[in-house]
Amino acid sequence: MPDDATPGDDAPAPLHGVGPWPGGPDAWPDDPRYDRELLAEGDRRNVVDAYRYWTMDAIVADLDARRHPFHVAIENWQHDLNIGSIVRSANAFLAAEVHIIGRRRWNRRGAMVTDRYQHVRHHEDVAAFVEWARREGLPVLAIDNVEGSVPVDRAELPEACVLLFGQEGPGLSPDALAAASSVIEITQYGSTRSINAASAAAVVMYEWCRRWA
């Protein structure tokens, strides 16, 4: 776009990704992971370069082979807009699975289609989620800035665990806090009491990766 262009100009939208595979069909790789339609038309998806032209199933299979052993759970009582962004971060940090507790339908806008590559499981309520975690032998770590919570930089983050997040505003429900083996908070330095739920999730997932990945 020219330097003097302003929003609203009739300038073409920038293209992202890559165009058709150079050399045409005769040069296409002989590999079942590649999508012939993408090879022919180009790959404009928001994926890392290593996955360019791959089918979605091939990408998911490759991710499954190396997913991290932490899970992410989110309470969904009020159709929180942050859930999609949390799913997107879970994909970025290669979480094993995302768990939606409460309403089955969740706002996917913030996920930016990353839910296609991320396993998502639904639980009717906290009790059902806790029963699943116990069967899997996974400790539940609640993330909330309530009395008695431990700063994330000093908290224990087991390699295999579930990071449980609440909704914007009310935070985690009493049942969720009671079910957790520990409660973790993010140290803040300004005047706001809490940070955005999606931002909090990204911070804690990054801290887990910093220690274990």
Side-chain angles (χ1 to χ4, degrees):
M1 179 179 294
D3 292 340
D4 59 351
T6 58
D9 285 350
D10 293 329
L15 294 177
H16 303 285
V18 293
W21 188 274
D26 291 340
W28 286 357
D30 183 18
D31 187 326
R33 294 175 299 181
Y34 285 84
D35 185 302
R36 296 176 69 85
E37 183 176 340
L38 293 175
L39 290 169
E41 299 180 3
D43 188 353
R44 307 299 181 185
R45 299 173 299 174
N46 183 19
V47 297
V48 297
D49 288 344
Y51 290 143
R52 290 295 180 200
Y53 304 109
W54 283 31
T55 68
M56 184 175 66
D57 288 345
I59 294 173
V60 172
D62 191 69
L63 294 174
D64 286 347
R66 55 190 184 84
R67 288 190 192 275
H68 295 138
F70 77 89
H71 293 243
V72 176
I74 317 152
E75 289 194 289
N76 182 35
W77 311 118
Q78 300 175 352
H79 206 56
D80 190 350
L81 297 175
N82 286 279
I83 291 179
S85 295
I86 294 174
V87 170
R88 184 178 182 181
S89 293
N91 169 265
F93 294 114
L94 204 58
E97 198 167 23
V98 173
H99 303 261
I100 308 294
I101 304 168
R103 294 184 178 184
R104 181 176 294 274
R105 295 184 63 184
W106 53 278
N107 193 309
R108 285 172 162 75
R109 174 176 290 186
M112 299 292 287
V113 307
T114 55
D115 53 306
R116 297 178 184 177
Y117 307 96
Q118 179 64 54
H119 299 300
V120 179
R121 184 192 300 255
H122 175 255
H123 304 271
E124 291 292 336
D125 51 30
V126 172
F129 161 71
V130 170
E131 178 59 29
W132 170 86
R134 287 175 177 166
R135 288 198 308 269
E136 297 296 319
L138 295 171
V140 176
L141 312 182
I143 316 300
D144 207 345
N145 58 345
V146 297
E147 185 176 355
S149 56
V150 180
V152 66
D153 56 306
R154 301 202 301 270
E156 291 188 21
L157 289 178
E159 184 175 14
C161 64
V162 187
L163 306 174
L164 174 59
F165 299 91
Q167 299 177 114
E168 191 75 17
L172 285 165
S173 67
D175 287 346
L177 288 170
S181 59
S182 63
V183 184
I184 296 170
E185 68 177 1
I186 298 170
T187 303
Q188 297 171 210
Y189 303 94
S191 61
T192 305
R193 180 183 177 275
S194 62
I195 62 175
N196 174 271
S199 298
V203 167
V204 179
M205 283 186 260
Y206 176 82
E207 175 63 15
W208 185 97
C209 290
R210 189 187 68 81
R211 299 188 193 187
W212 292 105

